[in-house]
């Protein structure tokens, strides 16, 4: 049996592809390259541009779509509803602002490079949308999906996914005769979307909790239902004219309020990572290198525009809304590439005769360049920020002044709290109850405003700001407490405080034993371990009660029932 006969057998073909992906991925890891780049490279190698070994395009496409559905389902499953409320406005404004900016300027660049107006429209729109799949995968790998910039990025990527549906309806209607108007098509899609959302909301409240509870006795059935639910809503979203991503994301949100979400997300992580391999293989195999030869110069110009221009508009919008340059920068990097939707859009334009193969080759090359480079930009976002930080201050509001009541040199501050989430709020409430003075600090302006509106002392500040002493009254504080869960941020905060010669006690939060070990290694003496401390407290409580009961039995004394009740 020769090689071509082996490849014709789908089982052998998949065995070869998976082994090749493993080998290339391992080499990539040794060279410190992201797995996404390695997998896309494998797709190019086995695709028509190089070895042309790929015969099971439909099967790989199906596995890729399942991987997309599970990825967005897991993200929706872990979503913090309170964080959605605080980041919804910035996500909407940033998403729409970036779409408008990229479309307008991309169209202008297209005309200047000599493209016809219809081709320039398609190129501009293709450059507008970023890959939700790639970004969510990268942020998940870096454990940054739950961080502020990750949640904002996720929000405006979902906004982009909805906008792309509208744009595709409008562009597909240009120059094509239809019984319905574009407006009617848009109205129909939105009507279907609202109906889908309403049905899912009802199921989420009345059906899903009971059904998951019934299946929970068998983890296999619970996981099977979760996968089926994710793919079903993804398919429904696609059928109704929305993207599969939106449907799968909604499926995850519908289970986010159940008590089984951690079990489900934990079991699905490996399934998600395996299936996403086929998404990147599929994406790489669709990149036709033969169409790219004459488009190198325009592709480089458009790539620089996407890699630099898109993050800059996010920096401007978020800076105007009061966000710190670090948050704005890391959120901005997530739009520094074009999406798989861009290739779908360009292929649609080719099918209806609006553009030619040269335009397809141009956008394909821009996709290859921006996806590859933006992957490195996101992977090394902290190092990039440290390098560019002095230049990014122009995108940030002036640093907030210290609260007036703390300007008095004679007034001391008992505790400075970093992180105003639920744990931070409980700490502040306890301090307030014990008549201790405190000041809360957080990087999210929406949370700071909420705190101030409810009578808590709070100020907007980034725990990683090198100019910490200019914003906060460090010299007046006796203690610093960080309720932030990110160990990297806590270590940087500790080093900043030491650099500013802070003499008081520093207590930092460790979410697990690994974090605690890293903090101790950095020199931190006081650790807050909310989960462990809580468990120890329960054990001490029962241990104390058990000793009391034992003493009672040894003494042979029988307490009156009302006295025992009073003691409890």
């Amino acid at each position: 049996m020769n090689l071509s006969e082996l490849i014709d057998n789908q089982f052998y073909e998949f065995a070869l592809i998976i082994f090749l992906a493993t080998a290339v991925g391992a080499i990539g890891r040794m060279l410190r390259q992201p797995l996404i780049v390695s997998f896309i490279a494998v797709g190019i190698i086995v695709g028509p541009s190089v070895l042309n070994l790929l015969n099971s395009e439909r099967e790989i496409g199906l596995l890729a779509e399942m991987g997309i559905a599970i990825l967005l389902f897991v993200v929706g499953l872990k979503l913090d509803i309170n964080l959605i409320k605080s980041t919804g406005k910035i996500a909407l404004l940033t998403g729409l602002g970036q779409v408008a900016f990229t479309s307008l300027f991309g169209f202008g660049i297209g005309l200047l490079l000599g493209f016809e107006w219809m081709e320039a429209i398609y190129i501009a729109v293709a450059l507008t949308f970023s890959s939700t799949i790639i970004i969510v995968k990268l942020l998940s790998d870096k454990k940054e999906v739950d961080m502020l910039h990750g949640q904002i990025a996720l929000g405006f990527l979902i906004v982009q996914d909805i906008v792309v549906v509208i744009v595709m309806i409008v562009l597909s209607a240009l120059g094509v005769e239809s019984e319905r108007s574009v407006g009617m098509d848009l109205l129909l899609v939105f009507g279907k979307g609202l109906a889908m959302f309403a049905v899912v909301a009802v199921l989420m409240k009345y059906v899903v909790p009971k059904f998951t509870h019934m299946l929970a006795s068998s983890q296999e059935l619970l996981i099977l239902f979760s996968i089926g639910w994710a793919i079903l809503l993804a398919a429904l979203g696609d059928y109704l004219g929305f993207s599969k991503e939106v449907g799968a994301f909604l499926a995850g949100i519908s289970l986010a309020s159940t008590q089984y979400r951690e079990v489900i997300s934990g079991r699905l992580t490996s399934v998600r990572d395996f299936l996403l391999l086929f998404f990147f293989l599929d994406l790489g195999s669709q990149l036709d290198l033969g169409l790219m030869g004459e488009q190198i110069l325009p592709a480089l110009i458009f790539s620089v525009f996407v890699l630099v221009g898109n993050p800059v508009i996010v920096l401007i919008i978020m800076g105007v809304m009061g966000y710190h340059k670090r948050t704005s920068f890391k959120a901005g990097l997530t739009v520094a590439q074009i999406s798989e939707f861009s290739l779908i859009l360009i292929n649609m334009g080719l099918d209806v005769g609006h553009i030619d193969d040269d335009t397809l080759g141009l956008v394909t090359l821009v996709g290859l360049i921006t996806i590859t480079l933006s992957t490195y930009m996101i992977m090394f976002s902290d190092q990039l920020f440290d390098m560019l930080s002095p230049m990014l201050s122009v995108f940030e509001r002036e640093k907030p002044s210290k609260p007036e009541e703390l300007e008095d040199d004679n007034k001391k501050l008992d505790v400075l709290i970093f992180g105003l989430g639920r744990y931070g709020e409980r700490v502040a409430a306890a301090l307030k109850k014990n008549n201790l003075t405190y000041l809360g600090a957080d990087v999210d302006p929406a949370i700071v405003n909420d705190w101030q509106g409810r009578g808590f002392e709070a100020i907007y500040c980034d725990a990683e700001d090198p100019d910490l002493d200019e914003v906060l009254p460090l010299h007046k504080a006796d203690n610093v407490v960080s309720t932030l869960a990110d160990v990297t941020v806590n270590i940087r905060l500790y080093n900043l405080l030491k650099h500013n010669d802070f003499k008081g006690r520093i207590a930092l939060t460790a979410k697990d034993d690994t974090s605690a070990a890293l903090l101790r290694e950095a020199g931190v003496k006081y650790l807050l371990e909310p989960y462990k401390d809580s468990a120890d407290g329960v054990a001490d409580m029962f241990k104390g009660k058990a000793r009391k009961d034992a003493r009672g039995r040894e003494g042979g004394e029988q307490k009156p029932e009302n006295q025992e009740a009073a003691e409890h």
Side-chain angles (χ1 to χ4, degrees):
M1 186 179 290
N2 57 37
L3 181 61
S4 62
E5 291 174 335
L6 280 173
I7 298 303
D8 286 338
N9 185 304
Q10 287 184 335
F11 187 80
Y12 297 155
E13 179 186 352
F14 271 75
L16 177 62
I17 290 171
I18 292 172
F19 178 78
L20 186 60
T22 305
V24 174
I27 294 170
R29 293 292 282 182
M30 285 190 291
L31 298 174
R32 300 181 65 82
Q33 305 303 306
L35 279 177
I36 286 177
V37 175
S38 299
F39 292 159
I40 292 174
V42 173
I44 295 173
I45 292 168
V46 301
S49 297
V50 184
L51 298 179
N52 196 23
L53 300 178
L54 202 61
N55 295 320
S56 305
E57 291 92 346
R58 288 188 61 186
E59 289 79 5
I60 286 177
L62 177 61
L63 291 171
E65 289 176 347
M66 291 176 66
I68 291 169
I70 292 176
L71 173 69
L72 271 296
F73 172 76
V74 171
V75 171
L77 199 64
K78 293 183 174 181
L79 206 64
D80 187 336
I81 300 299
N82 293 323
L83 206 51
I84 292 179
K85 292 176 183 176
S86 67
T87 60
K89 181 180 178 182
I90 180 64
L92 182 63
L93 291 177
T94 308
L96 294 178
Q98 182 266 319
V99 166
F101 165 84
T102 309
S103 300
L104 183 63
F105 282 85
F107 178 69
I109 294 172
L111 292 179
L112 289 173
L113 290 174
F115 289 93
E116 298 292 332
W117 70 271
M118 181 64 81
E119 292 174 329
I121 287 176
Y122 269 91
I123 293 169
V125 173
L127 301 182
T128 296
F129 303 110
S130 306
S131 177
T132 304
I133 316 306
I134 292 174
I135 298 310
V136 171
K137 180 70 172 73
L138 286 169
L139 292 178
S140 298
D141 290 345
K142 291 189 70 182
K143 306 291 190 294
E144 291 184 359
V145 168
D146 297 327
M147 297 177 72
L148 178 59
H149 69 272
Q151 292 291 300
I152 293 172
L154 179 62
F156 59 63
L157 289 170
I158 293 297
V159 170
Q160 283 187 4
D161 283 349
I162 294 171
V163 172
V164 77
V165 174
I166 300 170
V167 170
M168 290 181 75
I169 290 172
V170 173
L171 287 178
S172 63
L174 289 177
V176 179
E177 293 184 4
S178 175
E179 296 179 0
R180 286 198 307 261
S181 66
V182 175
M184 281 299 296
D185 282 337
L186 292 175
L187 223 78
L188 191 61
V189 169
F190 279 117
K192 290 176 180 178
L194 287 173
M196 177 183 174
F197 185 81
V199 169
V200 171
V202 171
L203 292 174
M204 178 180 172
K205 186 170 184 180
Y206 297 106
V207 179
V208 170
K210 295 178 181 177
F211 194 63
T212 52
H213 182 70
M214 182 181 72
L215 296 176
S217 57
S218 169
Q219 282 203 9
E220 289 81 0
L221 277 178
L222 184 63
I223 300 305
L224 184 61
F225 163 72
S226 302
I227 294 173
W229 183 239
I231 294 172
L232 175 65
L233 285 198
L236 183 61
D238 186 59
Y239 176 75
L240 294 178
F242 287 90
S243 66
K244 297 179 183 71
E245 287 90 336
V246 172
F249 185 66
L250 192 58
I253 291 175
S254 70
L255 292 181
S257 59
T258 67
Q259 59 184 307
Y260 310 108
R261 70 175 193 168
E262 296 298 334
V263 174
I264 295 169
S265 64
R267 293 288 292 271
L268 286 182
T269 300
S270 298
V271 178
R272 175 201 69 189
D273 291 343
F274 175 70
L275 291 176
L276 279 177
L277 160 66
F278 297 100
F279 168 76
F280 297 115
L281 290 175
D282 189 44
L283 180 62
S285 68
Q286 291 178 31
L287 300 177
D288 190 348
L289 303 183
L291 297 173
M292 301 179 186
E294 299 178 1
Q295 304 296 333
I296 292 177
L297 181 59
L300 289 174
I301 293 171
F302 281 119
S303 295
V304 171
F305 171 64
V306 171
L307 290 165
V308 178
N310 282 355
V312 165
I313 190 60
V314 172
L315 275 162
I316 292 172
I317 295 171
M318 292 184 65
V320 168
M321 296 190 70
Y323 284 84
H324 189 271
K325 59 186 178 182
R326 178 184 293 274
T327 304
S328 305
F329 177 75
K330 296 185 82 170
L333 290 183
T334 64
V335 292
Q337 87 290 119
I338 67 173
S339 167
E340 63 281 356
F341 274 126
S342 304
L343 301 177
I344 294 170
L345 179 73
I346 291 296
N347 275 292
M348 184 192 78
L350 190 64
D351 291 339
V352 297
H354 289 164
I355 59 172
D356 57 19
D357 286 337
D358 288 340
T359 309
L360 175 61
L362 168 66
V363 174
T364 301
L365 186 52
V366 172
L368 188 58
I369 293 170
T370 57
I371 288 172
T372 302
L373 293 182
S374 67
T375 298
Y376 290 104
M377 290 163 67
I378 293 169
M379 292 291 290
F380 300 102
S381 57
D382 292 315
Q383 292 90 329
L384 265 178
F385 176 80
D386 291 340
M387 185 171 63
L388 300 174
S389 181
M391 293 183 286
L392 298 177
S393 298
V394 68
F395 298 109
E396 189 178 38
R397 282 185 187 175
E398 291 185 10
K399 295 184 184 297
S401 59
K402 300 171 186 176
E404 292 181 6
E405 63 271 19
L406 293 171
E407 292 293 342
D408 183 2
D409 287 334
N410 296 319
K411 186 169 183 179
K412 294 295 290 180
L413 179 66
D414 290 312
V415 184
L416 186 57
I417 308 169
F418 285 92
L420 308 185
R422 283 173 291 187
Y423 186 32
E425 186 169 329
R426 288 198 294 269
V427 170
L431 294 171
K432 194 173 185 179
K433 185 177 179 182
N434 288 277
N435 297 317
L436 295 170
T437 58
Y438 69 89
L439 177 66
D442 200 279
V443 74
D444 189 343
I447 292 178
V448 172
N449 292 336
D450 178 61
W451 261 52
Q452 292 172 342
R454 290 186 291 127
F456 288 101
E457 299 291 340
I459 189 172
Y460 168 70
C461 177
D462 185 0
E464 299 176 274
D465 190 346
D467 301 321
L468 208 59
D469 60 324
E470 295 180 14
V471 182
L472 296 172
L474 295 179
H475 65 287
K476 297 179 185 178
D478 292 329
N479 306 279
V480 167
V481 170
S482 171
T483 64
L484 301 167
D486 191 322
V487 65
T488 305
V489 175
N490 278 332
I491 290 174
R492 285 181 177 168
L493 172 61
Y494 179 78
N495 291 333
L496 277 173
L497 291 170
K498 288 298 181 183
H499 177 73
N500 283 284
D501 200 29
F502 180 73
K503 301 297 186 184
R505 284 181 295 185
I506 303 171
L508 306 180
T509 297
K511 64 180 180 180
D512 50 37
D513 290 340
T514 303
S515 300
L518 290 171
L519 290 170
R520 288 193 185 96
E521 187 180 330
V524 180
K525 294 180 181 178
Y526 302 97
L527 294 182
L528 302 177
E529 299 180 82
Y531 301 112
K532 191 173 181 180
D533 291 344
S534 176
D536 290 343
V538 172
D540 288 342
M541 179 181 69
F542 282 106
K543 184 168 63 177
K545 185 178 184 303
R547 286 174 178 169
K548 185 186 292 185
D549 290 344
R551 284 196 299 270
R553 284 193 298 271
E554 288 170 3
E557 298 178 1
Q558 188 73 25
K559 293 184 180 180
E561 187 176 334
N562 59 349
Q563 183 181 343
E564 186 176 347
E567 286 184 2
H568 283 295

